[in-house]
Amino acid sequence: MELKALNLYAAVLSVLLCSSVNFIQSPTDVLGPVTLLEPTPSSARDFGSVVSDAPFAVMRPESPYEIALLLGALSSAAPSPRATVAARGAGHSLHGQAQAGGGIVVETRALLGNVQVVVTREHGDSGGAITVPAYADVGAGALWVEVLEECLKTGLAPPSWTDYLYLTVGGTLSNGGISGQTFKHGPQISNVRWVRAFYDSFEIFTGDQELLVSMPEQVDYVEGFMVLNEQSLESSSIAFPAQINFSPDFGSNGRKKVYYCIEFAVHDFQQNDSSADHVVEQVSGKLSYLKPHMYSAEVSYFDFLNRVKMEEDSLMRRGLWDVPHPWLNMFVPKHGITQFKDLLMDTVSADDFEGPILVYPLLTDKWDGNTSAVVPATADGVMYIFGVLRSTDPTRCGRACVELILEQHRRVADEARRVGGGGMGAKQYLARQPSPAHWRNHFGSGWGRFAARKVRFDPRHVLGPGQVIFPRTDNAASM
Ligand SMILES: Cc1cc2nc3c(=O)[nH]c(=O)nc-3n(C[C@H](O)[C@H](O)[C@H](O)COP(=O)(O)OP(=O)(O)OC[C@H]3O[C@@H](n4cnc5c(N)ncnc54)[C@H](O)[C@@H]3O)c2cc1C
């Protein structure tokens, strides 16, 4: 009965959307349980503020059933931009990936009942009941912060996070999802001891980072960033609760000086015979930072994970949140990091750069090769994320300036991607590649499997038009 109704609605919707005679007149038409709404400005906008493709209609589903209905209809519809669908979570994409020019944007945040944490109890060796995490059942539109809030009620939490928690789980998993915990897996909870140490040598900075990720029994989180100017020192300190007395000389024209900061954290509960303080002391004794510039603070687990929210609030106050964000994120094999840093610094003006440049190591064996996330081939299993997270102030950097930055990023990415002959063999993260050929190159030997999955699960290329991997064409399945 349900199935019959679904097929009927699907047929009606399909005709209305795709027939040249009975073309749907208005996105506000209601088709049984499927309501299509007029697009809003936000449905053609994302955090990147670089791409803007207005959809034909928006859907705010209250249940997965409505989405199934829509997809059922569109998968049998004639190819047309209107017959494409993009899921939109928190809309924090950088290059229109959650947009559907002329198609339909499904706003997953409208779905209700987003997070359910299911915990089971088992008997431990000593006979007492112990709590074992079973799973968190998370809806398509759940934010990571909602998952965290729900998990903490049970005293449990997932081992790996993103830095910023106001992204959806669906939106992040469609890319990967990385942070300072990514180099290891393990439980986290209670308090965190959060440490920052400054450097003036890139080689010593990265050497110490690699030392830290080689100590997963003691260290729970490792990141780091470049400090290009006073402003980047100030804005990176917003969420960090300890007073930082580091006022370095950034040099002058022609002799600019760049500094680096390692950020690591130790979780209180994990240490059996020694306190977190002792662990921090032990670990920091092995590091070669600029003495005495190491600072630490103890914060709650929630505040630590939610730290980027304070940066968001500060950027909002300064009018620098809803602005274009020409970001560049690259996974660079260890052998190429100095070359990449130099290449990047040739394109970045240290004086007025606004935003963080994250740099930290990740271990490629922690990545599941069965997913569509692509990481570079590395001889030693170590790659670095370089996240150039720039905000542009429209009063100082207009459209042409943003285009120029994007063009510089394209050149940097092209050079970093080069394999052989001294090339770095890097891979881009969160990119929208300019053409299907670039995507093939990006996936490399994984392309065949990825394309085969598309043929199997979405043969008519209805889903994800904003990624621009599989154009919606008549002979879609033969691409
Ligand atoms: C301030 C900020 C901080 C960030 N920090 C990090 C970080 O620390 N680590 C990290 O890895 N990334 C980070 N990112 C990048 C972020 O993970 C990606 O941009 C992610 O795609 C954004 O999630 P979203 O919910 O906003 O997704 P959207 O922009 O809404 O969607 C992204 C993509 O996922 C698809 N999608 C959305 N929901 C679903 C679903 N339910 N099922 C299938 N596909 C879906 C969309 O169609 C689109 O292609 C950050 C981005 C910003 C702006």
Side-chain angles (χ1 to χ4, degrees):
M1 172 62 202
E2 280 276 283
L3 196 63
K4 263 193 194 159
L6 191 131
N7 285 341
L8 181 66
Y9 286 125
V12 172
L13 185 66
S14 162
V15 169
L16 288 175
L17 275 169
C18 302
S19 146
S20 55
V21 184
N22 294 321
F23 214 93
I24 190 167
Q25 295 301 311
S26 155
T28 53
D29 284 1
V30 179
L31 304 155
V34 174
T35 307
L36 295 180
L37 305 168
E38 296 281 355
T40 57
S42 69
S43 46
R45 200 170 185 287
D46 57 29
F47 186 81
S49 251
V50 171
V51 174
S52 177
D53 275 338
F56 166 66
V58 167
M59 182 191 196
R60 295 208 182 95
E62 284 182 14
S63 71
Y65 173 73
E66 292 174 36
I67 303 175
L69 204 56
L70 180 74
L71 296 183
L74 298 186
S75 57
S76 56
S80 129
R82 288 189 187 188
T84 55
V85 172
R88 184 180 200 276
H92 280 78
S93 285
L94 301 169
H95 301 280
Q97 287 96 331
Q99 297 177 28
I104 298 168
V105 167
V106 174
E107 295 185 353
T108 58
R109 291 288 295 146
L111 287 163
L112 305 171
N114 264 328
V115 185
Q116 195 196 358
V117 180
V118 181
V119 176
T120 57
R121 285 184 189 282
E122 282 181 2
H123 290 287
D125 290 346
S126 55
I130 53 166
T131 303
V132 179
Y135 58 89
D137 191 356
V138 173
L143 298 176
W144 283 107
V145 72
E146 292 167 345
V147 176
L148 177 61
E149 279 163 356
E150 221 34 57
C151 284
L152 287 182
K153 289 181 192 163
T154 67
L156 298 163
S160 206
W161 295 93
T162 50
D163 288 339
Y164 178 59
L165 302 181
Y166 297 78
L167 310 163
T168 62
V169 176
T172 311
L173 294 187
S174 78
N175 290 299
I178 56 168
S179 181
Q181 301 94 352
T182 309
F183 79 94
K184 71 175 266 186
H185 282 285
Q188 306 152 339
I189 215 142
S190 111
N191 282 356
V192 175
R193 184 148 295 275
W194 182 4
V195 185
R196 284 185 172 183
F198 290 90
Y199 294 77
D200 61 359
S201 152
F202 185 69
E203 284 68 29
I204 299 176
F205 160 72
T206 52
D208 274 1
Q209 284 185 317
E210 285 172 34
L211 182 67
L212 288 170
V213 302
S214 73
M215 297 191 277
E217 304 78 28
Q218 287 124 306
V219 180
D220 295 280
Y221 161 101
V222 180
E223 287 202 3
F225 53 89
M226 295 176 73
V227 183
L228 298 188
N229 53 40
E230 301 280 357
Q231 175 58 35
S232 76
L233 191 56
E234 207 176 297
S235 51
S236 61
S237 307
I238 287 164
F240 190 69
Q243 174 77 30
I244 289 183
N245 298 313
F246 182 57
S247 328
D249 171 15
F250 287 100
S252 52
N253 280 348
R255 285 184 58 83
K256 296 299 298 179
K257 285 197 73 176
V258 171
Y259 298 86
Y260 309 91
C261 179
I262 284 187
E263 182 173 60
F264 75 92
V266 172
H267 293 154
D268 231 350
F269 85 110
Q270 271 188 318
Q271 318 310 328
N272 298 328
D273 3 87
S274 51
S275 70
D277 279 349
H278 182 59
V279 174
V280 169
E281 209 178 293
Q282 263 187 338
V283 169
S284 49
K286 297 180 179 163
L287 303 181
S288 308
Y289 56 92
L290 283 173
K291 306 277 180 324
H293 295 295
M294 172 169 286
Y295 305 89
S296 69
E298 189 166 334
V299 292
S300 75
Y301 182 58
F302 182 89
D303 285 351
F304 176 70
L305 289 183
N306 203 30
R307 63 200 178 280
V308 179
K309 183 76 177 83
M310 286 178 73
E311 288 167 22
E312 172 187 347
D313 293 345
S314 159
L315 286 171
M316 286 256 191
R317 279 194 299 276
R318 295 172 56 213
L320 286 176
W321 186 255
D322 291 318
V323 296
H325 294 95
W327 284 11
L328 174 69
N329 288 279
M330 299 293 303
F331 291 133
V332 184
K334 178 180 162 178
H335 77 262
I337 54 174
T338 302
Q339 198 185 343
F340 185 82
K341 188 263 297 174
D342 292 343
L343 179 67
L344 190 66
M345 292 318 292
D346 283 346
T347 67
V348 162
S349 155
D351 285 330
D352 56 2
F353 186 90
E354 181 77 57
I357 300 184
L358 301 181
V359 184
Y360 57 91
L362 301 166
L363 307 179
T364 51
D365 67 355
K366 297 288 180 196
W367 291 69
D368 180 353
N370 208 26
T371 69
S372 57
V374 180
V375 295
T378 56
D380 45 20
V382 180
M383 66 176 181
Y384 275 69
I385 175 71
F386 276 77
V388 185
L389 313 184
R390 190 193 306 242
S391 298
T392 55
D393 179 348
T395 60
R396 288 190 286 140
C397 183
R399 194 72 216 171
C401 159
V402 172
E403 286 298 333
L404 188 71
I405 294 170
L406 290 169
E407 180 49 35
Q408 284 172 343
H409 286 177
R410 271 190 287 274
R411 282 206 299 270
V412 170
D414 282 348
E415 176 59 23
R417 263 194 291 266
R418 239 175 11 87
V419 184
M424 291 171 241
K427 292 286 181 185
Q428 206 165 348
Y429 180 52
L430 304 175
R432 182 162 105 163
Q433 305 285 346
S435 70
H438 281 81
W439 277 115
R440 268 190 217 109
N441 189 31
H442 173 76
F443 281 102
S445 60
W447 171 255
R449 189 183 59 175
F450 185 72
R453 286 175 178 173
K454 185 73 174 178
V455 170
R456 180 166 171 214
F457 297 111
D458 181 23
R460 298 178 70 89
H461 299 182
V462 169
L463 298 172
Q467 300 279 3
V468 199
I469 307 179
F470 299 98
R472 183 98 162 101
T473 58
D474 250 337
N475 53 350
S478 66
M479 210 192 100

